[in-house]
Amino acid sequence: MNSRRKELRVLLVGSGGREHAMAETLAKSPALSALFIAPGNPGTARCGTNVPIGAHDVAALVTFAREQKIDLVVPGPEAPLVAGLADACAQAGLPCAGPTQAAAQLEGSKSFTKEVCDAAGIPTAAWERFTDAPSAIAYVRRKGAPIVVKADGLAAGKGVVVATTVAEAETAITDMMTGGALGDAGRSVVIEDCLVGEEVSLFAFCAGETACLIGAAQDHKRIGDGDTGPNTGGMGAVSPPKGFGRAEQEAALDLLVRPMLREMVRRGTPFRGVIFAGLMLTENGPSLIEYNVRFGDPEAEALLPRLTSDLLPALQALAEDRLDVAPITFSNQASVCVIMAARGYPGSPEKGAVIHGVDTANALEGVRVFQAGTTQNMAGELVVSGGRVLAVCALADTVQEAQKRAYAGVKAITWDGAVWRTDIGNRAL
């Protein structure tokens, strides 16, 4: 691809709130000539052209990209990357701003990540991997609680149980390994010590051994107020996190990301793309919880509205395995994102309810509503189609004002069975 070409035809892969936020951000770029989103949602349809191809259908995505003379493929979720989307794009001569299948193991396999951390000397919780439930249960009984049980494979953010009792850990092991609760993802598990501290999400563009800081956010993973109830894919986020400024973020890159990049190069599987390092700020310093190989969700919805530079050239450079672009810059404003979910999430969410008030919320000062688990019915009404339904985000000069605006947006939206946390942003105040 000619890197000097100004007008780019872009295929964005995914259908969630993250992809809606990315679509809005990319649509602002003067370098964009056409934006396709596969499969997209009713929100992304306002930013470009939705294409009825599933994010997992790698072959169909590549075929479409070739037919449409796409200049850049931008993966949103992790599943197509773990399935080899970047590799298939490379074989077809299509630039893709994401890691190879081998490098995507950093998210596709918890035990792979732990092995990389150990080899690179990266601080992380002590761990063991198990392929049979009795051995895992015996280990938990020896170690005691609290303890963390993780499905080794991809589980859409639902494969982690922070068990406060041995019994809770045993139930998680049984559900994952013998009950098939997470399918193949839970056939093997990683059990690790429970880290204590503030959890933050760090993002960087990476190519080879080089990392360029994007920024940070703080997710709220548990379903209930006060961090209670089961883990979810994320119930809200704040950017920037309190007490984790630019200097601390750069130091964390040196400690937790750049050594990983060197180890991946040493293994012959260099990483290229967006790295999302989930880390715990312990009393002994930052410690790695996990890597993700893409923007976070809902962190992207909180982070990207603060962006003041052009995202598209940065993604184009990544696809060409370089990072020689203008720095990524953000406003000094705070962002608060509140997830509105369907009743029953993260278990069996109730679907089909008609959603009202999204346009009203979007009209409020500083508020943006990103759609995630939505679709349209035959009457053209917006309806619930997933667990996490909407990401109601707000920008303001202070976290307190951003929180106030976000919850005003939430209040404007209604459907039967809507649930949300009421304390997103409290820890940053």
Side-chain angles (χ1 to χ4, degrees), residues 43-329:
T44 64
R46 298 185 178 189
C47 309
T49 303
N50 285 352
V51 181
I53 301 174
H56 294 74
D57 195 343
V58 171
L61 290 168
V62 170
T63 297
F64 175 85
R66 293 182 72 172
E67 290 174 349
Q68 290 294 324
K69 296 181 170 54
I70 294 296
D71 299 299
L72 179 65
V73 177
V74 179
E78 64 278 7
L81 290 167
V82 173
L85 175 61
D87 308 73
C89 285
Q91 290 170 5
L94 295 164
C96 178
T100 63
Q101 186 175 35
Q105 287 185 87
L106 284 169
E107 181 164 2
S109 169
K110 298 291 191 296
S111 57
F112 176 83
T113 285
K114 288 291 193 177
E115 290 167 1
V116 168
C117 285
D118 289 351
I122 294 168
T124 189
W127 66 285
E128 293 284 347
R129 177 178 181 266
F130 297 92
T131 55
D132 68 281
S135 298
I137 289 171
Y139 178 79
V140 164
R141 288 175 178 171
R142 288 198 308 274
K143 294 284 287 187
I147 198 162
V148 181
V149 181
K150 294 182 176 181
D152 199 1
L154 289 181
K158 301 172 190 173
V160 178
V161 175
V162 182
T164 56
T165 66
V166 169
E168 190 180 349
E170 291 181 10
T171 298
I173 291 165
T174 302
D175 287 347
M176 289 183 196
M177 301 192 77
T178 60
L182 299 173
D184 289 343
R187 299 301 178 198
S188 64
V189 300
V190 167
I191 300 177
E192 61 184 41
D193 291 354
C194 186
L195 297 171
V196 177
E198 284 290 316
E199 186 174 343
V200 295
S201 305
L202 182 69
F203 296 89
F205 290 128
C206 303
E209 295 187 7
T210 306
C212 174
L213 180 65
I214 298 173
Q218 185 169 47
D219 189 11
H220 298 63
K221 287 191 169 59
R222 291 184 180 264
I223 188 70
D225 285 1
D227 294 324
T228 57
N231 266 350
T232 70
M235 291 301 295
V238 178
S239 178
K242 183 180 180 181
F244 191 61
R246 205 76 184 170
E248 290 86 356
Q249 293 169 30
E250 283 286 1
L253 276 187
D254 282 339
L255 182 68
L256 304 171
V257 174
R258 292 186 175 106
M260 173 274 289
L261 294 176
R262 291 191 290 270
E263 173 62 15
M264 292 295 282
V265 168
R266 189 192 69 78
R267 289 169 174 246
T269 54
F271 182 88
R272 178 193 68 200
V274 175
I275 200 72
F276 158 7
L279 52 105
M280 191 72 78
L281 303 179
T282 75
E283 60 181 14
N284 297 317
S287 186
L288 186 85
I289 299 171
E290 64 182 5
Y291 293 119
N292 295 307
V293 297
R294 36 69 189 183
F295 278 111
D297 190 349
E299 291 96 338
E301 293 95 306
L303 194 61
L304 290 177
R306 295 181 52 234
L307 188 69
T308 54
S309 54
D310 193 344
L311 180 64
L312 184 51
L315 293 174
Q316 181 186 9
L318 268 187
E320 296 175 353
D321 218 16
R322 57 186 178 84
L323 292 175
D324 56 337
V325 292
I328 299 296
T329 57

